[in-house]
Amino acid sequence: MSRRRKNNIFNRITFIVVLMLFALLTISMVLTVALSSIIAQAWKIDEDNIILFAVVILAISIVLGIALSFAYSAIIIRASKPYLNALQKVAEGDFSVRIEDSAVFANLNLARNFNYMVSQLDSVETLRENFVSDFSHEFKTPIVSIAGFAKLLKDPTLTAEQRNEYLDVIIDESNRLVELSESVLLLNRLESQEITKEQYQLDEQMRQCVLMFEQQCEAKGIALNVDLQDHVVINSNYKLLSQVIVNLLSNAVKFTDSGGTISVGCKTKGLNVLITVADTGCGMDEETKSNIFNKFFQGDTSHTTPGNGLGLSIVKKIVELLDGQIFVQSKLGEGSTFTISLLKGV
């Protein structure tokens, strides 16, 4: 906040306070004049002296009113300065500032609301900084890889096999960049997207999603168990929920080895619908499980499996937009189970 802007706010507060007190002063003067005749009659003052009496009372009220106006103005202005100074610090990027209410504003809870606002801004700023840092790292890695293999391709002694191998790496890393950009754009759209819902059969939607992975499971030697309650009607967003289910199934296939099993189910429970995607894959330790929905977090630090760490962040964001919750149960070496709870809404 610039000094000029701060002075403008300060001057506006001063003007408003003085204006309010001047209005009170004017009202008191009018009441004084109106009551002076009544007081004069009560005290049996001669008619010739009533005007003089009213003038004296009016003069006294004006002097007292002006004095009180300046006194109260000074008190309010002095009490406002810590708030203005705190606002200036926040505008300069200091989100550690906290204030306490003065006696003048104690009943307005200004300090509590201000401190809450600053804490929220601090959280948002931390998330923004972490996101920029993580995104820069994730974006830089494939670019460095592409540049490195592109330089290697300039070697005229490379065999055709080596050249094709390097080109495959460049293609894969380029696709990774595209997926990363698309995921970040999707997350950005989800922040401001308006959700439209419609009624449809969830069990049929899940069957369609499962069909997309039948060939992959068969090729990898993974058993696919499907247990869907029939005629489960839900009021939700078909496209977004399909993206959630597909993402969870994709992860299950990715982290389940040959001979493993993936189980998919949906059922109603009271007013809710429960969607489960379970696998007998590698599972997760407690640290990985507690961070799995964070942006750019990848449990596989060796990066032997493809991904950019945004898939489950997108899943969680979509589930929240659909007024639902997502839970994960997992043990290292025993697999993972993701459960989504949504209101039927019908």
Side-chain angles (χ1 to χ4, degrees), residues 173-207:
E173 292 298 282
S174 299
N175 290 334
R176 183 179 167 193
L177 280 176
V178 172
E179 291 175 0
L180 178 61
S181 301
E182 289 175 347
S183 296
V184 171
L185 289 173
L186 176 59
L187 272 175
N188 185 57
R189 287 199 303 269
L190 289 174
E191 293 294 336
S192 58
Q193 183 169 343
E194 293 185 5
I195 303 301
T196 57
K197 296 182 179 182
E198 58 181 344
Q199 290 187 16
Y200 61 87
Q201 280 191 219
L202 175 63
D203 54 303
E204 185 59 32
Q205 178 186 26
M206 294 190 66
R207 286 189 185 93

Side-chain angles (χ1 to χ4, degrees), residues 212-224 248-262 279-282 300 304-306:
M212 297 169 58
F213 293 90
E214 278 191 343
Q215 290 185 352
Q216 293 184 40
C217 289
E218 184 177 348
K220 200 173 178 181
I222 299 173
L224 191 56
L248 293 178
L249 285 170
S250 177
N251 280 349
V253 173
K254 183 192 304 182
F255 293 106
T256 303
D257 293 329
S258 177
T261 302
I262 295 176
D279 63 68
T280 58
C282 58
D300 178 18
T304 55
T305 54

Side-chain angles (χ1 to χ4, degrees), residues 57 135 145 176 282 331 343:
I57 293 297
F135 179 77
S145 181
R176 183 179 167 193
C282 58
K331 286 187 178 181
L343 285 171

Side-chain angles (χ1 to χ4, degrees), residues 8 12 15 43 51 63 79 88 165 168 174 257 269 274 303 310 334 336 342:
N8 287 339
R12 289 179 183 177
F15 175 75
W43 289 358
I51 297 176
V63 172
Q88 181 176 359
E165 182 182 349
D168 287 340
S174 299
D257 293 329
K269 185 177 181 181
L274 299 182
H303 297 281
L310 287 175
E334 297 183 12
S336 304
L342 297 170

Side-chain angles (χ1 to χ4, degrees), residues 13-54:
I13 293 175
T14 304
F15 175 75
I16 292 172
V17 170
V18 172
L19 186 63
M20 291 174 60
L21 293 174
F22 181 76
L24 291 174
L25 174 62
T26 303
I27 294 172
S28 65
M29 289 169 57
V30 172
L31 292 175
T32 300
V33 173
L35 294 174
S36 61
S37 60
I38 298 175
I39 296 173
Q41 291 178 3
W43 289 358
K44 298 181 179 180
I45 299 176
D46 296 338
E47 291 184 0
D48 296 337
N49 296 324
I50 287 178
I51 297 176
L52 178 62
F53 177 77

